[in-house]
Amino acid sequence: MPPSSLTPLASKDVTPIAIARQAILDEGRNVYGYELFDRSVVSNAHSASSDAQLLFNVLTLNDSEALPGKKTLFINCTHDSLAGGHLDLVAPDRVVLEIPPLPVSKAEQIPDYLPNLEEIQRRGFRMAFSYSILTRSYESWLPLASFIKFDLSILKPEAVASFVKLAQAKSQAKLIAEKVETARQYELVAGLGVKLFQGYWFAQPVLVEGQTIRPAQATILQLINLVRKQASTNEIEEVLKRDPTLSFNLLRFINSAGFGMRTEVTSFKHAVMLLGLNRLFKWAALLMTTSRSGDTPPAVGTTAVVRGRLMELLATEILPPDECDNAFVVGVFSLLDTMLGVPMQTALATVTLPVSVTDALLHQTGPLAPYLTLTVACETGDDNAFATAASTLGLTSNQINWAHLQALAWAETLTQVD
């Protein structure tokens, strides 16, 4: 499965933008969709032109099959950008347009914008609004809301409760709590009946004193160690035979659409013959995303897969093939402490990894560290980290955007295994 070349998304005469994402989780803490927004290092100004370019770049990426599968994409918009012809290029069922409130100075113009929003709805687009849609000034817009978002960094708990109850009484919209940074905030809004959540809390490691690595996870780590030591096929097969689920999951991964095999791999020996042990190292690491510890959200595994693929793609044109595989492992294992429920140093002590992998994960040093910094910055608001890492690696925003969206789409092609 050779990674594709980092083909630019847009021509050189177009001002580059930098796409960032944040996952939106459902009540089972699976990834429901992604909010995509322009976090340009060239201009931080949110404008109609930047929105139009973001939509064009995201939604005309090569072909529709390259987009992130079944996931809903939430796109920030301005009212000016909504009038642009670029919406004609967009399949309405693929996106939700996030509509901002008007400035206070333009409150009297709220009715004037209603016809355009109604036309957008007639064209099949869904729209998301902030909780301001529940105020009296915006009552004419409220029937248009498919989603209503509540910013927990602004609203106090008692205000959140009031707005949620108001939304439930006056609208059929799905409710999204955003800026959810702690388990306590999550429990608060979930207790109010909110079903969708956005924030960084789900990827934060929850370390439990006395936590031990589960048997299934220990077997995967043992498999990785054997592969790294270039053990015989028979030795590795013995480990897989003791855990049929692990063997089954490995073969399902290899036979998934994301791997691109032309013939079905039917046994571990067949896999070794086709791939070699070096390539199996990467796929053994991928198995860790399917073996969750305790209350770890499923979205953690999804995020780890996206990180791994994004790092691999970013490394493709700069690093040799073996290091590209190592880049994949760094991305997947960047959430290993969260997946296992133990500190990163403890987790890595149980497995034999290349020096470049451990240096990046433990010390943020070595050739793979800038790729990890850039990959994590793609899902956070750290503009400085993004700009520094991109500059260090000599990658353009268009190259990063392409790899980012390809990684999201690739993660969707993998067969879901439990």
Side-chain angles (χ1 to χ4, degrees):
M1 183 200 56
S4 305
S5 175
L6 291 182
T7 305
L9 272 172
S11 61
K12 294 181 180 179
D13 59 343
V14 178
T15 302
I17 62 169
I19 294 174
R21 82 177 190 280
Q22 191 171 62
I24 297 174
L25 277 55
D26 63 19
E27 57 188 326
R29 294 190 289 175
N30 298 286
V31 175
Y32 173 84
Y34 295 102
E35 178 180 349
L36 302 182
F37 50 95
D38 174 14
R39 194 269 314 284
S40 175
V41 298
V42 176
S43 171
N44 289 321
H46 184 60
S47 66
S49 60
S50 68
D51 284 319
Q53 189 186 341
L54 175 62
L55 280 168
F56 179 82
N57 277 276
V58 172
L59 300 169
T60 61
L61 173 65
N62 294 336
D63 56 66
S64 60
E65 293 182 358
L67 292 170
K70 301 176 182 179
K71 299 293 187 286
T72 301
L73 301 180
F74 289 71
I75 308 292
N76 283 270
C77 297
T78 65
H79 288 279
D80 289 339
S81 71
L82 292 173
H86 58 277
L87 286 181
D88 295 334
L89 302 171
V90 179
D93 60 329
R94 306 300 298 275
V95 300
V96 173
L97 303 176
E98 296 206 22
I99 312 298
L102 295 176
V104 176
S105 61
K106 293 186 177 181
E108 73 281 357
Q109 299 178 27
I110 290 174
D112 299 337
Y113 285 83
L114 182 60
N116 189 43
L117 295 177
E118 290 176 332
E119 174 59 24
I120 288 170
Q121 187 185 60
R122 279 194 291 272
R123 291 167 64 180
F125 288 97
R126 291 173 292 166
M127 289 175 279
F129 298 86
S130 73
Y131 58 89
S132 61
I133 194 74
L134 296 167
T135 61
R136 186 179 298 276
S137 299
Y138 287 95
E139 60 184 356
S140 63
W141 290 15
L142 184 56
L144 303 176
S146 294
F147 299 86
I148 299 175
K149 303 185 79 172
F150 303 90
D151 188 335
L152 300 192
S153 70
I154 296 175
L155 293 171
K156 294 181 178 180
E158 57 271 20
V160 172
S162 296
F163 275 116
V164 168
K165 290 176 182 177
L166 188 61
Q168 291 167 337
K170 289 192 170 187
S171 172
Q172 297 299 312
K174 295 181 179 178
L175 310 184
I176 303 175
E178 59 179 348
K179 306 290 179 63
V180 183
E181 308 298 340
T182 67
R184 185 174 181 179
Q185 288 178 317
Y186 166 73
E187 291 164 2
L188 167 68
V189 289
L192 294 171
V194 175
K195 304 295 186 184
L196 297 173
F197 314 90
Q198 184 175 351
Y200 299 119
W201 105 95
F202 75 91
Q204 296 173 357
V206 178
L207 307 181
V208 181
E209 188 174 352
Q211 174 82 18
T212 58
I213 297 174
R214 298 166 60 203
Q217 296 168 326
T219 303
I220 295 171
L221 294 173
Q222 183 184 5
L223 174 63
I224 292 172
N225 283 330
L226 288 173
V227 170
R228 284 286 300 148
K229 294 175 182 177
Q230 301 287 302
S232 69
T233 303
N234 289 338
E235 287 181 275
I236 299 174
E237 202 167 25
E238 280 301 310
V239 173
L240 293 171
K241 285 179 179 178
R242 293 199 299 269
D243 192 333
T245 301
L246 178 63
S247 179
F248 176 70
N249 286 351
L250 179 60
L251 290 178
R252 287 185 72 181
F253 268 136
I254 292 174
N255 287 313
S256 68
F259 193 74
M261 297 298 294
R262 294 185 178 180
T263 58
E264 184 178 3
V265 178
T266 56
S267 69
F268 180 74
K269 288 183 179 179
H270 189 198
V272 173
M273 180 182 69
L274 289 175
L275 308 174
L277 290 177
N278 287 338
R279 301 293 286 173
L280 281 174
F281 167 53
K282 165 182 161 182
W283 288 90
L286 189 61
L287 282 176
M288 190 61 71
T289 66
T290 70
S291 182
R292 298 185 293 272
S293 174
D295 197 35
T296 304
V300 171
T302 303
T303 301
V305 172
V306 174
R307 286 186 182 183
R309 180 58 171 163
L310 177 52
M311 282 193 63
E312 179 185 35
L313 288 172
L314 292 173
T316 299
E317 293 190 349
I318 301 174
L319 299 178
D322 285 353
E323 277 297 88
C324 291
D325 288 341
N326 289 341
F328 181 92
V329 174
V330 169
V332 171
F333 277 12
S334 65
L335 289 168
L336 190 61
D337 51 352
T338 303
M339 288 187 277
L340 297 181
V342 299
M344 182 65 77
Q345 190 164 2
T346 302
L348 294 183
T350 64
V351 63
T352 303
L353 297 172
V355 173
S356 61
V357 173
T358 55
D359 281 349
L361 291 171
L362 283 181
H363 311 297
Q364 294 75 53
T365 60
L368 299 179
Y371 294 95
L372 179 58
T373 299
L374 181 57
T375 295
V376 174
C378 283
E379 60 195 59
T380 70
D382 194 338
D383 295 343
N384 291 332
F386 182 94
T388 300
S391 176
T392 298
L393 296 170
L395 295 171
T396 67
S397 292
N398 285 335
Q399 288 177 310
I400 297 166
N401 292 343
W402 183 90
H404 191 172
L405 296 172
Q406 288 287 333
L408 291 172
W410 185 83
E412 282 294 293
T413 67
L414 295 180
T415 303
Q416 296 300 308
V417 288
D418 296 319

Coordinates of all heavy atoms in Angstrom, one line a residue, residues 311 364-375 389-390 392-393:
M311 N 0.5 11.0 9.5 CA 1.9 11.0 9.6 C 2.6 10.3 8.5 O 3.6 10.7 7.9 CB 2.3 10.5 11.0 CG 2.1 11.5 12.1 SD 3.0 11.0 13.6 CE 4.7 11.0 13.1
Q364 N 9.8 13.9 22.2 CA 9.4 14.9 21.2 C 10.7 15.3 20.4 O 10.9 16.5 20.1 CB 8.7 16.1 21.7 CG 7.3 15.8 22.3 CD 7.4 15.1 23.6 OE1 8.0 15.6 24.6 NE2 6.7 14.0 23.8
T365 N 11.6 14.4 20.2 CA 12.8 14.6 19.4 C 13.0 13.6 18.3 O 12.2 12.7 18.2 CB 14.0 14.5 20.4 OG1 14.1 13.2 20.9 CG2 14.0 15.5 21.5
G366 N 13.9 13.9 17.4 CA 14.2 13.0 16.4 C 13.5 13.3 15.1 O 12.7 14.3 15.0
P367 N 13.7 12.6 14.0 CA 13.2 13.0 12.7 C 11.6 12.9 12.6 O 11.0 13.6 11.7 CB 13.8 11.9 11.7 CG 14.2 10.8 12.6 CD 14.6 11.4 13.9
L368 N 11.0 12.1 13.5 CA 9.6 11.9 13.4 C 8.8 12.9 14.3 O 7.6 13.1 14.1 CB 9.2 10.5 13.7 CG 9.7 9.4 12.8 CD1 9.3 8.0 13.3 CD2 9.3 9.6 11.4
A369 N 9.5 13.6 15.1 CA 8.8 14.5 16.1 C 8.1 15.7 15.4 O 6.9 16.0 15.8 CB 9.8 15.1 17.1
P370 N 8.7 16.3 14.4 CA 7.9 17.4 13.7 C 6.6 16.9 13.0 O 5.6 17.6 13.0 CB 8.9 18.0 12.7 CG 10.2 17.5 13.1 CD 10.0 16.2 13.8
Y371 N 6.6 15.7 12.5 CA 5.4 15.1 11.9 C 4.3 14.9 13.0 O 3.2 15.2 12.7 CB 5.8 13.8 11.2 CG 6.7 13.9 10.0 CD1 8.1 13.7 10.2 CD2 6.2 14.2 8.8 CE1 8.9 13.9 9.1 CE2 7.1 14.4 7.7 CZ 8.4 14.2 7.9 OH 9.3 14.3 6.8
L372 N 4.7 14.4 14.1 CA 3.7 14.3 15.2 C 3.2 15.6 15.7 O 2.0 15.8 15.9 CB 4.4 13.5 16.4 CG 3.5 13.3 17.6 CD1 2.2 12.5 17.2 CD2 4.2 12.5 18.7
T373 N 4.1 16.6 15.8 CA 3.6 17.9 16.2 C 2.6 18.5 15.2 O 1.6 19.0 15.6 CB 4.8 18.9 16.3 OG1 5.7 18.4 17.3 CG2 4.4 20.3 16.7
L374 N 2.9 18.3 13.9 CA 2.1 18.9 12.9 C 0.7 18.1 12.9 O -0.4 18.7 12.7 CB 2.7 18.7 11.5 CG 2.0 19.2 10.3 CD1 1.6 20.7 10.5 CD2 2.8 19.0 9.1
T375 N 0.8 16.8 13.1 CA -0.4 16.0 13.0 C -1.4 16.3 14.2 O -2.6 16.4 14.0 CB 0.0 14.5 13.1 OG1 0.7 14.1 11.9 CG2 -1.3 13.6 13.2
A389 N 6.0 23.5 12.7 CA 6.3 22.2 12.1 C 6.2 22.1 10.6 O 7.0 21.5 10.0 CB 5.3 21.2 12.8
A390 N 5.2 22.9 10.1 CA 5.1 22.9 8.6 C 6.3 23.5 8.0 O 6.8 23.0 6.9 CB 3.8 23.7 8.2
T392 N 9.4 23.7 9.3 CA 10.5 22.8 9.5 C 10.5 21.7 8.5 O 11.6 21.3 8.0 CB 10.4 22.1 11.0 OG1 10.5 23.2 11.9 CG2 11.5 21.1 11.2
L393 N 9.4 21.1 8.1 CA 9.3 20.0 7.2 C 9.2 20.5 5.7 O 9.3 19.7 4.8 CB 8.0 19.2 7.5 CG 8.1 18.5 8.9 CD1 6.7 17.9 9.2 CD2 9.1 17.4 8.9

